[in-house]
Amino acid sequence: MIRVPFHLADPALEPIATKVLAGERLSRDDGLALYASHDLLGIGQMADHVRRRINGDRVHFMVNRHINPTNICENRCKFCAFSRSKGQDGAYEMTLEEIVRAAEECVPQGAHEVHIVGGLHPDWPFEFYVEMVRRLRQALPEHVIIQAFTAVEIEHYAKISGLSTLEVLRTLKEAGLQALPGGGAEIFSERARRLAWDKKTSADDWLRIHGEAHALGIKTNCTMLYGHIETLEERVDHLIRLREQQDASGGFLAFIPLAFHPLNTELSDLPPTTGYDDLKTLAIARLMLDNIPHIKAFWIMLGLKVAQLSVAFGVDDLDGTVVEERITHMAGAATPEALSKDELLALIRETGHTPVERDTLYNVVRVYEEA
Ligand code: V47
Ligand code: SF4
């Protein structure tokens, strides 16, 4: 028996701690035992151990800009406060010129990424999205990476173009697409999907599309929307399916748990997530996802205080400056929409970690050794 160097208040965590120290993969039952335990600090210490093994004392961040070209969407998921039907009050659509201008604005700030996610517009043809990527690639310096379109959007483009999702990805890659964001995964449960996002991409299709992207050399992220109608078992199963996909195709860079925001949604009776659940979920993700290199705390959804604390609970990435964010803010997020690079640096430095500025693909832009 290996001596366990963690201070565990819950003896049920001891066999898990032994596996963590030996670098052994955790099982579904281990995941459930972690959720059943109230020893948040014990779970956090184990997650911190794994984080240090993978990422040392580095905490990543980036200078980026999010752009949401339209909120007009055919799907109208029950958890979404962002989407509108065509012609509805508050519906908007950006022109290609406006999208390119928004992207160009972030270049003087030192951005290394534009992150583009939007609704499934009923009239925009696939060529519009190809042209968007092509014009962005022409307008932006090479170091600014275009991370755009969730698997849900890729599936929609296949539907409207008659192409396969693989052909859609190949066409977008040729136009300049370099990475896919991780949205649209929600919870890989057919039960939950039927109840709250029945028109949206199934778990099998979401995973297949990411596998196809990986096969084409397009790196992607993955997410889990939690704190709504899902069960804890469904959360653990979700993590295991991501882990299996990563074993098979290997192209996930980061996992981002997305804390559900209920305001202005059809699930507005539900309470928001708690800081306790947020930290526990991030830590359990670090422990279960032994083959995904980075765990990202999206400060926009978690709030700055929980995001900063999360670096002691397995997180090695605080995302970026963001600049403009609509999806969570329309659902009640109280965070600012933008942070400066100095604010991100200060948040990370206070925790005693080394801030590392990165690009989308985790190429190091700069290591900030000293204040
Ligand atoms: O796909 C929608 C989620 C996602 C709500 O890949 C909601 O680096 C909370 O995926 N409350 C879009 N979440 C955001 C996203 C993302 C964000 C940051 C970084 C990355 C990355 C990806 O937001 C959607 C959906 O899963 N979402 N409504 C809501 N009310
Ligand atoms: Fe549309 Fe995405 Fe909102 Fe669902 S979550 S309604 S797919 S914008």
Side-chain angles (χ1 to χ4, degrees), residues 286-306:
R286 180 62 291 166
L287 290 166
M288 294 298 292
L289 298 175
D290 55 6
N291 55 1
I292 297 186
H294 305 287
I295 304 292
K296 190 197 281 194
F298 190 41
W299 59 264
I300 290 263
M301 291 197 187
L302 294 171
L304 293 175
K305 292 185 179 184
V306 171

Side-chain angles (χ1 to χ4, degrees), residues 70-84 117-121 150 152-153 183-184 186 196-197 199-201 225 327:
T70 181
N71 63 348
I72 299 175
C73 185
E74 286 182 349
N75 271 9
R76 307 307 309 272
C77 307
K78 287 193 178 146
F79 58 77
C80 179
F82 164 73
S83 66
R84 294 287 181 276
V117 180
L120 312 182
H121 195 290
T150 64
V152 177
E153 291 162 277
E186 321 317 357
W197 55 90
K199 292 206 196 126
K200 199 168 208 170
T201 318
L225 183 69
I327 297 172

